[in-house]
Amino acid sequence: MKQYSPNSPRHSLPRSEAEPLLEIRGISCNYDLERAVFDFSLTVHRGEQVCLLGPSGCGKTTVLRAIAGFHPILTGSILINDQQVSAVKNMVPPEARRVGMVFQDHALFPHLTVRENIAAGLDQLSAGLRGESVGEMLDRMGLGHHADRYPHELSGGQQQRVALARALAPKPLLLLMDEPFSSLDQELREHMGQEVSDMLKESGTTCVMVTHDQNDAFALGDKVGVMSEGAIVQWDTPYNLYHQPQTHFVADFIGNGVFINGQCEDKKQVNTSLGMLQSDIALDWSNDADIEVLLRPDDVVYDPEGPIIAKVTRRAFKGAQIMYTLRTLDGVKLLALFPSHANFGIGDEVRVRLDVDHLVVFEQNSVVD
Ligand code: ADP
Ligand code: MG
């Protein structure tokens, strides 16, 4: 796991960064009798920024609410800074957990100025300290010129910064962010993702973000937990989630791609209707096993001499590249990312070859719907 420079947040105790700050041990949460989170575990170390990524309804917000102390747990426990804050019969109230939260819609107070919004969580401080703390956050977030504006007088990105400043002003041990970039447009979203990531890393803030958007997750999370139906199905780096997904669900959810059927020929080869694919590592399947192979769009390479002939059925221009949906003469659908100069129209015939280094293979029909 990546280690950060020893810029521990000023509010944290002088401890090693490798120590866990948040430990979630096998928690489950329901809404009435409906299960939302099941046997969920997660450890976040001091100074780490991690992300939970999953489709709508998989339980992301519920996990954050449980950490913040807004939702009871039915099994397991949650520890923050070695202190049990949630157990079946022990709920430390939210205000005693030293957790800051940024909500999906920013939830700024519309009738308060930027300065007053940031000061809102600091009523326990003297007026002098409160002013100092707000001033520091205004500076850090580049909001100094907007201190006396109201939320409706700010852009989406500025509102986002105010929400972050308000959550960080009380110097929480842990920052939680629920889909923090979802109300921003795509360009601003990427920019803010990077900016927030830099800021959190520089200050050594420990953070858990949840999102359904993989770009947001990859911008912010050094480690990402992909969630499905109330549990983490893979906890990994963004690189491994893309290149070595452990389940069909993760492969499907992260990035683009298609699955083609094949049979294991021997431990290092898979026979498919598009030819024999070589694996760089021995496959853990018996000979003749019916399997499916993941093909990412960058595995399908434009090659005028290539062995596979396919017709273009869709194209999406992406600037430097074009994403094509292709159908082979045998009716196999492929996604292919070509350089932009390989410019074809719908119905055109193209030739491709497969260039797959690392085969990602699952049992056929491994998806349980
Ligand atoms: P996510 O944030 O990943 O979209 P949530 O944690 O909000 O997911 O929801 C998890 C599950 O709990 C979903 O099935 C959702 O319908 C259900 N749920 C969430 N909030 C409530 C609620 N207030 N009452 C009843 N069910 C809820
Ligand atoms: Mg949610």
Side-chain angles (χ1 to χ4, degrees), residues 31 35-36 55-63 178:
Y31 290 94
R35 192 172 93 178
S56 176
C58 73
K60 304 180 295 293
T61 295
T62 308
V63 170
D178 192 350

Side-chain angles (χ1 to χ4, degrees), residues 263-269 283-290:
Q263 281 78 40
C264 234
E265 192 74 9
D266 58 46
K267 293 280 177 202
K268 287 215 155 185
Q269 296 193 93
L283 297 169
D284 201 11
W285 297 91
S286 52
N287 276 357
D288 292 332
D290 288 327

Side-chain angles (χ1 to χ4, degrees), residues 18-38:
E19 258 180 80
L21 179 75
L22 169 68
E23 284 175 89
I24 306 180
R25 298 177 179 165
I27 64 164
S28 306
C29 303
N30 279 16
Y31 290 94
D32 297 323
L33 293 178
E34 196 88 16
R35 192 172 93 178
V37 171
F38 184 69

